[in-house]
Amino acid sequence: MATKKKTTPRKKSAAKKAPARAKRTATGRTAPKGKAPAKAKAPARKKTTGKGTTPLRPKKKLKLPAAPQQKTGPEEKPEAQALARRMARLLIDKKALDVVILDVRGMTSYADYIVIASGESDRQVSAMAENVQVQLKQGDAPERALGTEGVDTGQWVLLDYGEVVAHLFLADLRAHYDLEGLWADAAREKVS
């Protein structure tokens, strides 16, 4: 009869074990001792569209530089506005019709205000222009025109005072040229 061999459990030897192999992480680096290796990131989920698949990636929030503050409107020029109103009063003194001040600041480079008025005859238009020129030369702050046109004919007179330009018309010509229509977007102040 066969005899069975008795097996005895082996005793662990006191010999040193070989160090365990360092495990590599998903990035290819070895994990530091005493810490478990980091889990590999799951691949990005794919969003299906009609044309194909594109990976979903989290959007980064970009910080944009602060926008420079912009002015809300054109620069205020009280001297030019006062000059335009003074011209309008001088035109009314000579019985001008339909005196209008157009605020064209920021719309044109040659003037800030345009004064438009009409007269019933060429002599009246010339007299209105002459009154404005004479009265503005007098006073505490005399103003001189940079240029004038049409004073001799009296049909359409242009007075250029830099920031303020005056157009004085015969009534028929004013309707024909329709400067108010050209500056329809401009703020207007009706004086008479």
Side-chain angles (χ1 to χ4, degrees):
M1 185 159 160
T3 60
K4 282 189 179 181
K5 273 189 173 181
K6 259 189 178 179
T7 57
T8 59
R10 290 186 183 184
K11 291 185 181 180
K12 293 185 180 178
S13 65
K16 290 185 179 179
K17 290 186 179 180
R21 281 180 129 185
K23 293 186 180 180
R24 295 190 179 267
T25 62
T27 60
R29 296 181 180 160
T30 57
K33 289 185 179 180
K35 292 188 177 181
K39 292 183 181 180
K41 292 183 180 178
R45 292 184 295 178
K46 298 204 176 208
K47 177 183 175 183
T48 56
T49 61
K51 295 179 182 176
T53 60
T54 55
L56 288 177
R57 293 189 179 138
K59 294 183 179 179
K60 294 180 180 178
K61 291 186 179 180
L62 299 175
K63 275 194 171 180
L64 298 176
Q69 287 192 350
Q70 297 178 353
K71 296 180 180 179
T72 57
E75 183 180 335
E76 291 289 329
K77 296 190 177 179
E79 299 88 20
Q81 187 177 27
L83 178 61
R85 288 182 176 158
R86 185 174 174 200
M87 288 173 76
R89 284 192 306 272
L90 292 171
L91 290 168
I92 291 172
D93 289 347
K94 288 295 178 180
K95 309 295 184 210
L97 304 172
D98 300 324
V99 180
V100 177
I101 300 172
L102 301 177
D103 183 356
V104 292
R105 290 176 296 147
M107 297 176 156
T108 182
S109 61
Y110 69 87
D112 290 331
Y113 295 94
I114 297 175
V115 180
I116 302 174
S118 29
E120 295 175 335
S121 69
D122 55 351
R123 292 189 85 183
Q124 182 187 8
V125 173
S126 294
M128 292 182 328
E130 193 173 320
N131 184 46
V132 169
Q133 287 180 309
V134 168
Q135 294 296 325
L136 289 180
K137 285 181 188 176
Q138 300 171 356
D140 298 337
E143 296 280 342
R144 291 192 177 270
L146 299 176
T148 59
E149 292 288 330
V151 178
D152 297 336
T153 61
Q155 302 218 350
W156 178 359
V157 176
L158 173 83
L159 302 174
D160 183 1
Y161 281 86
E163 294 176 333
V164 181
V165 175
H167 293 276
L168 313 176
F169 290 99
L170 275 173
D172 296 342
L173 283 177
R174 181 175 179 173
H176 177 74
Y177 288 107
D178 189 28
L179 288 184
E180 290 102 330
L182 288 175
W183 298 104
D185 294 342
R188 59 192 65 219
E189 179 182 337
K190 189 160 177 77
V191 180
S192 69

Coordinates of all heavy atoms in Angstrom, one line a residue, residues 91-92 94-99 116-129 153-157 167-175 192:
L91 N -29.3 136.8 -36.0 CA -30.1 136.6 -37.2 C -31.6 136.9 -37.0 O -32.2 137.5 -37.8 CB -29.9 135.2 -37.7 CG -28.5 134.8 -38.2 CD1 -28.4 133.3 -38.4 CD2 -28.3 135.5 -39.5
I92 N -32.1 136.6 -35.8 CA -33.5 136.9 -35.5 C -33.7 138.4 -35.4 O -34.7 138.9 -35.8 CB -33.9 136.2 -34.2 CG1 -34.0 134.7 -34.5 CG2 -35.3 136.7 -33.7 CD1 -34.2 133.8 -33.3
K94 N -32.5 140.5 -37.3 CA -32.7 141.0 -38.7 C -33.9 140.3 -39.4 O -33.9 140.2 -40.6 CB -31.4 140.9 -39.5 CG -30.3 141.8 -39.1 CD -30.8 143.3 -39.4 CE -29.7 144.2 -39.0 NZ -30.1 145.6 -39.2
K95 N -34.8 139.7 -38.6 CA -36.0 139.1 -39.1 C -35.8 137.9 -39.9 O -36.5 137.6 -40.9 CB -36.9 140.1 -39.9 CG -37.1 141.4 -39.2 CD -38.0 141.2 -38.0 CE -38.3 142.6 -37.4 NZ -38.5 142.6 -36.0
A96 N -34.8 137.1 -39.6 CA -34.5 135.8 -40.2 C -35.7 134.8 -40.0 O -36.3 134.9 -38.9 CB -33.2 135.2 -39.8
L97 N -35.9 134.0 -40.9 CA -37.0 133.0 -40.8 C -36.4 131.6 -40.5 O -35.3 131.2 -41.0 CB -37.8 132.9 -42.1 CG -38.4 134.2 -42.6 CD1 -39.0 134.1 -44.0 CD2 -39.4 134.7 -41.6
D98 N -37.1 130.8 -39.8 CA -36.8 129.4 -39.5 C -35.3 129.2 -39.1 O -34.6 128.4 -39.8 CB -37.1 128.5 -40.7 CG -38.6 128.5 -41.1 OD1 -39.4 128.6 -40.2 OD2 -38.9 128.5 -42.3
V99 N -34.9 129.8 -38.1 CA -33.5 129.7 -37.6 C -33.3 128.3 -36.9 O -34.1 128.1 -35.9 CB -33.1 130.9 -36.7 CG1 -31.6 130.7 -36.3 CG2 -33.3 132.2 -37.5
I116 N -28.6 127.5 -39.6 CA -29.2 127.6 -40.9 C -30.4 128.6 -40.7 O -31.2 128.5 -39.7 CB -29.8 126.3 -41.4 CG1 -28.6 125.3 -41.6 CG2 -30.5 126.5 -42.7 CD1 -29.0 123.9 -41.9
A117 N -30.5 129.6 -41.6 CA -31.6 130.6 -41.5 C -31.9 131.0 -43.0 O -31.1 130.8 -43.9 CB -31.2 131.8 -40.7
S118 N -33.1 131.6 -43.1 CA -33.5 132.1 -44.5 C -34.1 133.5 -44.4 O -34.5 133.9 -43.3 CB -34.5 131.1 -45.2 OG -35.3 130.4 -44.3
G119 N -34.0 134.1 -45.5 CA -34.5 135.5 -45.6 C -35.5 135.5 -46.8 O -35.5 134.7 -47.7
E120 N -36.3 136.6 -46.9 CA -37.2 136.7 -48.0 C -36.7 137.4 -49.2 O -37.3 137.3 -50.3 CB -38.5 137.5 -47.5 CG -39.2 136.8 -46.4 CD -40.3 137.6 -45.8 OE1 -40.3 138.8 -45.8 OE2 -41.2 136.9 -45.2
S121 N -35.6 138.1 -49.1 CA -35.0 138.7 -50.3 C -33.4 138.6 -50.2 O -32.9 138.4 -49.1 CB -35.4 140.2 -50.4 OG -34.8 140.9 -49.4
D122 N -32.8 138.9 -51.3 CA -31.3 138.8 -51.3 C -30.7 140.0 -50.5 O -29.7 139.8 -49.8 CB -30.7 138.8 -52.7 CG -31.2 140.0 -53.6 OD1 -32.1 140.7 -53.1 OD2 -30.6 140.1 -54.7
R123 N -31.4 141.1 -50.4 CA -30.9 142.2 -49.6 C -31.0 141.8 -48.1 O -30.2 142.2 -47.3 CB -31.7 143.5 -49.9 CG -31.4 144.0 -51.3 CD -32.0 145.3 -51.5 NE -31.1 146.3 -51.0 CZ -31.3 147.6 -51.0 NH1 -32.4 148.1 -51.4 NH2 -30.4 148.4 -50.5
Q124 N -32.1 141.2 -47.7 CA -32.2 140.8 -46.3 C -31.2 139.8 -46.0 O -30.6 139.8 -44.9 CB -33.6 140.2 -46.1 CG -33.8 139.8 -44.6 CD -35.1 139.1 -44.4 OE1 -35.9 138.7 -45.3 NE2 -35.4 138.9 -43.1
V125 N -30.9 138.8 -46.8 CA -29.9 137.8 -46.5 C -28.5 138.4 -46.3 O -27.8 138.1 -45.4 CB -29.8 136.7 -47.6 CG1 -28.7 135.8 -47.4 CG2 -31.1 135.9 -47.7
S126 N -28.2 139.4 -47.2 CA -26.9 140.1 -47.1 C -26.9 140.9 -45.8 O -25.8 141.0 -45.1 CB -26.7 141.0 -48.3 OG -26.5 140.3 -49.5
A127 N -28.0 141.6 -45.4 CA -28.0 142.4 -44.2 C -27.9 141.5 -43.0 O -27.2 141.8 -42.0 CB -29.4 143.1 -44.1
M128 N -28.5 140.3 -43.0 CA -28.3 139.3 -41.9 C -26.8 138.9 -41.7 O -26.3 138.9 -40.6 CB -29.2 138.1 -42.1 CG -30.7 138.3 -42.1 SD -31.7 136.8 -42.3 CE -30.9 135.7 -43.3
A129 N -26.2 138.6 -42.8 CA -24.8 138.2 -42.7 C -23.9 139.4 -42.2 O -23.0 139.2 -41.4 CB -24.3 137.8 -44.1
T153 N -23.9 138.5 -53.5 CA -25.1 138.1 -54.2 C -26.3 138.0 -53.3 O -27.4 138.2 -53.7 CB -24.9 136.7 -54.9 OG1 -24.6 135.7 -54.0 CG2 -23.8 136.8 -56.0
G154 N -26.1 137.5 -52.1 CA -27.2 137.4 -51.1 C -28.1 136.3 -51.3 O -29.2 136.2 -50.8
Q155 N -27.8 135.3 -52.1 CA -28.7 134.1 -52.4 C -28.4 133.0 -51.4 O -29.3 132.4 -50.9 CB -28.5 133.7 -53.8 CG -28.8 134.8 -54.8 CD -29.6 134.3 -56.0 OE1 -29.7 133.1 -56.2 NE2 -30.0 135.2 -56.7
W156 N -27.1 132.7 -51.2 CA -26.7 131.7 -50.2 C -25.4 132.3 -49.7 O -24.3 132.3 -50.3 CB -26.4 130.4 -50.9 CG -26.0 129.3 -50.0 CD1 -25.7 129.4 -48.7 CD2 -25.7 127.9 -50.4 NE1 -25.3 128.2 -48.2 CE2 -25.3 127.2 -49.2 CE3 -25.8 127.2 -51.5 CZ2 -24.9 125.9 -49.2 CZ3 -25.4 125.9 -51.5 CH2 -25.0 125.2 -50.4
V157 N -25.4 132.6 -48.4 CA -24.2 133.2 -47.7 C -23.7 132.2 -46.7 O -24.5 131.6 -46.0 CB -24.6 134.5 -47.0 CG1 -23.4 135.0 -46.2 CG2 -25.1 135.5 -48.0
H167 N -25.2 129.1 -42.5 CA -25.7 129.1 -43.9 C -27.0 129.9 -43.9 O -28.0 129.6 -43.3 CB -26.0 127.7 -44.4 CG -24.9 126.8 -44.5 ND1 -24.1 126.7 -45.6 CD2 -24.3 125.9 -43.6 CE1 -23.1 125.8 -45.5 NE2 -23.3 125.3 -44.3
L168 N -26.9 131.0 -44.7 CA -28.1 131.9 -44.8 C -28.6 131.9 -46.3 O -27.8 132.1 -47.2 CB -27.6 133.4 -44.5 CG -26.8 133.5 -43.2 CD1 -26.4 134.9 -43.0 CD2 -27.6 133.0 -42.0
F169 N -29.9 131.5 -46.4 CA -30.4 131.3 -47.7 C -31.6 132.2 -48.1 O -32.3 132.7 -47.2 CB -31.0 129.8 -47.8 CG -30.0 128.7 -47.7 CD1 -29.8 128.1 -46.5 CD2 -29.4 128.3 -48.9 CE1 -28.9 127.0 -46.5 CE2 -28.6 127.2 -48.9 CZ -28.3 126.6 -47.7
L170 N -31.8 132.3 -49.4 CA -33.2 132.7 -49.8 C -34.1 131.6 -49.6 O -33.7 130.4 -49.6 CB -33.1 133.0 -51.3 CG -32.7 134.4 -51.7 CD1 -32.6 134.5 -53.2 CD2 -33.7 135.5 -51.2
A171 N -35.3 131.8 -49.3 CA -36.3 130.7 -48.9 C -36.3 129.6 -50.0 O -36.4 128.4 -49.6 CB -37.7 131.3 -48.6
D172 N -36.4 130.0 -51.2 CA -36.5 129.0 -52.3 C -35.2 128.1 -52.4 O -35.3 126.9 -52.5 CB -36.7 129.7 -53.7 CG -38.0 130.4 -53.7 OD1 -38.9 130.1 -52.9 OD2 -38.1 131.3 -54.6
L173 N -34.1 128.7 -52.2 CA -32.8 128.0 -52.3 C -32.6 127.0 -51.1 O -32.1 125.9 -51.2 CB -31.6 128.9 -52.4 CG -31.4 129.5 -53.8 CD1 -30.2 130.5 -53.7 CD2 -31.1 128.5 -54.8
R174 N -33.1 127.5 -50.0 CA -33.0 126.6 -48.8 C -33.8 125.3 -49.0 O -33.4 124.3 -48.7 CB -33.5 127.4 -47.5 CG -33.5 126.5 -46.3 CD -33.9 127.4 -45.1 NE -33.8 126.6 -43.9 CZ -34.0 127.1 -42.7 NH1 -34.2 128.4 -42.5 NH2 -33.9 126.3 -41.6
A175 N -35.0 125.4 -49.5 CA -35.8 124.3 -49.8 C -35.1 123.4 -50.9 O -35.2 122.1 -50.8 CB -37.2 124.7 -50.3
S192 N -36.3 130.0 -33.9 CA -37.5 130.8 -34.1 C -38.6 130.0 -34.8 O -38.4 129.0 -35.4 CB -37.1 132.0 -35.0 OG -36.8 131.6 -36.3

